Amino acid sequence: MDNYKSVTTTTNTTPMTAKVSPAAKKTLLILNCILLSIGNCGGPLIMRLYVVHGGNRVWLSSFLQSAGLPFIVLVLVVLFFIRRKSNTKTTIIYMRPRLFFATAFIGIITGLDNYLYAYGLARLPISTSSLVIASQLGFTAFFAYILVKQKFTPYSINAVVLLIVGAGVLALHTSSDRPKGESKKEYMLGFVMTVGAALMYGFILPLIELTYNKAKQAITYTLVLEIQMVMCLFATIVCTVGMIVNNDFKVIPREATEFGLGETNYYTILCATALIWQCFFLGAIGVIFCASSLLSGIIIAVLLPVTEVLAVVFYKEKFQAEKGVALVLSLWGFASYFYGEYKSTKKPKDINESTKQSIELPLSDYSIV
């Protein structure tokens, strides 16, 4: 598998194509799409389940978003033994020190982002939180322009404006959406924290792309998993420090006994949360590896209304007119952004094909005898 090279969003990297049967590649793509769907829809729902039934440890929720890294370690071990069967001189760790320190820094930022997201989700309904998080696409476009010189198009500018307007519509109608027993100050702080999480995650994605570009080594599937493992490790360390400072480890046993669904279900929910979020990360990486980051983003965008519907069904959340407007604007923004990306990735292919034809046509004249 190490003959693969990961596909990144940059146009400067030419992916290496491995010899894999179309059926095997299609199967792997379908599997990763399922993982991504489970994580993208299930992650917010199960985190909200913890909050609804009495859980209020924000650092613990942050910790669980990256604490499933043993699952990645297990996948890496399996890949190692697969490589060892075909090659006795295989490498255990592919990551070089330069890439390790860069990834560790991104992991620290990810830990802080996890806290902002967990805090916002503890204060906002899932439907509102998901719509606010959708604004990260605008932040991603901005930071991509700064860090990796991503060019803006009318489509990306349109997407940024629509997402900002959508978030503004939600911000202007906060009183009717506030959960019972929560003050307006707490609700607004949760809203601000969620916007902060979207902003920070919008910074992390281009930063990862920049790290890939500056890695000075081939980005294989195994190396991508190692990068994800290191990011999760340092994100978990950050959240662990937060839990220690906040005395979460001392409170967890008491919170478990007082949990609305019982102590056993409490620990089951914690373990399931960690596993589901790893499904999201592995699914996103897998889709990028099998196809492209564009397809990964499209799947996440398509799943947005699914998460909205599930929140209304399972948690009886209200879906007011302003949420409907924000949802339409968000989907419109996603469609505009990805259509622009599709056109920009299609142009180089058209140019290459036309260039190839212009070179081959004169040669064909000389081949006639």
Side-chain angles (χ1 to χ4, degrees):
M1 285 193 176
D2 287 322
N3 293 326
Y4 292 92
K5 191 171 184 181
S6 174
V7 179
T8 64
T9 55
T10 179
T11 57
N12 297 327
T13 304
T14 303
M16 296 173 60
T17 305
K19 295 180 180 179
V20 183
S21 66
K25 193 171 184 179
K26 184 178 180 180
T27 302
L28 186 60
L29 177 60
I30 293 173
L31 176 61
N32 283 288
C33 287
I34 293 173
L35 289 173
L36 180 56
S37 301
I38 293 172
N40 192 72
C41 295
L45 291 172
I46 197 166
M47 283 182 68
R48 188 64 184 172
L49 182 65
Y50 164 77
V51 174
V52 168
H53 291 281
N56 59 5
R57 315 309 295 183
V58 177
W59 277 114
L60 175 59
S61 296
S62 310
F63 171 86
L64 294 174
Q65 291 179 59
S66 57
L69 64 93
F71 185 45
I72 300 178
V73 175
L74 179 62
V75 175
L76 286 171
V77 170
V78 172
L79 291 178
F80 171 76
F81 283 108
I82 291 175
R83 294 197 310 271
R84 194 171 183 179
K85 276 188 175 181
S86 58
N87 185 7
T88 56
K89 295 182 179 180
T90 186
T91 304
I92 298 177
I93 300 175
Y94 286 89
M95 184 178 293
R96 296 173 184 171
R98 173 191 178 94
L99 185 58
F100 173 81
F101 289 113
T103 305
F105 174 72
I106 297 174
I108 293 172
I109 300 176
T110 302
L112 299 175
D113 179 63
N114 289 347
Y115 176 79
L116 295 177
Y117 177 76
Y119 189 98
L121 192 60
R123 299 291 182 269
L124 302 179
I126 295 174
S127 52
T128 303
S129 176
S130 298
L131 290 171
V132 175
I133 286 294
S135 64
Q136 74 183 31
L137 185 59
F139 296 121
T140 300
F142 172 76
F143 286 115
Y145 173 77
I146 300 296
L147 295 177
V148 294
K149 309 303 179 184
Q150 177 72 45
K151 294 182 179 180
F152 277 101
T153 66
Y155 301 100
S156 59
I157 294 173
N158 182 53
V160 172
V161 172
L162 289 170
L163 290 168
I164 291 174
V165 173
V169 169
L170 290 176
L172 293 174
H173 297 80
T174 56
S175 58
S176 59
D177 189 43
R178 193 166 67 247
K180 294 181 179 179
E182 186 173 292
S183 67
K184 186 175 182 180
K185 181 180 179 181
E186 289 177 331
Y187 183 91
M188 288 304 300
L189 184 58
F191 192 93
V192 171
M193 288 289 213
T194 306
V195 173
L199 188 152
M200 190 170 289
Y201 196 68
F203 173 68
I204 289 172
L205 291 179
L207 189 60
I208 293 174
E209 181 179 348
L210 181 65
T211 303
Y212 283 176
N213 295 343
K214 303 292 184 179
K216 295 185 178 179
Q217 64 178 113
I219 306 298
T220 64
Y221 182 64
T222 299
L223 183 58
V224 168
L225 289 176
E226 289 180 3
I227 290 172
Q228 183 59 43
M229 183 188 68
V230 173
M231 286 175 57
C232 285
L233 174 62
F234 279 87
T236 303
I237 291 173
V238 170
C239 296
T240 302
V241 173
M243 290 178 67
I244 294 173
V245 173
N246 204 40
N247 293 321
D248 281 4
F249 289 105
K250 295 180 180 179
V251 177
I252 286 174
R254 188 185 69 200
E255 187 177 73
T257 57
E258 298 174 354
F259 193 64
L261 297 178
E263 187 174 355
T264 302
N265 287 329
Y266 176 83
Y267 290 109
T268 301
I269 289 171
L270 297 189
C271 294
T273 301
L275 182 60
I276 287 175
W277 278 113
Q278 284 307 312
C279 287
F280 171 81
F281 290 124
L282 287 176
I285 289 174
V287 171
I288 292 172
F289 177 71
C290 297
S292 66
S293 59
L294 176 61
L295 178 59
S296 182
I298 289 174
I299 293 172
I300 294 172
V302 169
L303 292 173
L304 175 62
V306 177
T307 306
E308 298 282 329
V309 172
L310 291 175
V312 173
V313 171
F314 289 108
Y315 296 108
K316 310 300 180 184
E317 293 185 359
K318 298 177 181 179
F319 197 82
Q320 301 96 332
E322 60 269 14
K323 286 187 181 180
V325 172
L327 178 60
V328 171
L329 292 174
S330 296
L331 293 177
W332 186 4
F334 275 122
S336 176
Y337 181 83
F338 287 120
Y339 180 70
E341 288 294 304
Y342 170 75
K343 291 195 70 174
S344 65
T345 54
K346 189 178 179 181
K347 283 183 180 179
K349 293 182 181 179
D350 295 339
I351 294 173
N352 290 336
E353 289 178 1
S354 62
T355 304
K356 184 178 179 181
Q357 290 176 359
S358 64
I359 294 174
E360 289 181 347
L361 282 174
L363 291 176
S364 63
D365 293 337
Y366 289 104
S367 63
I368 298 175
V369 180

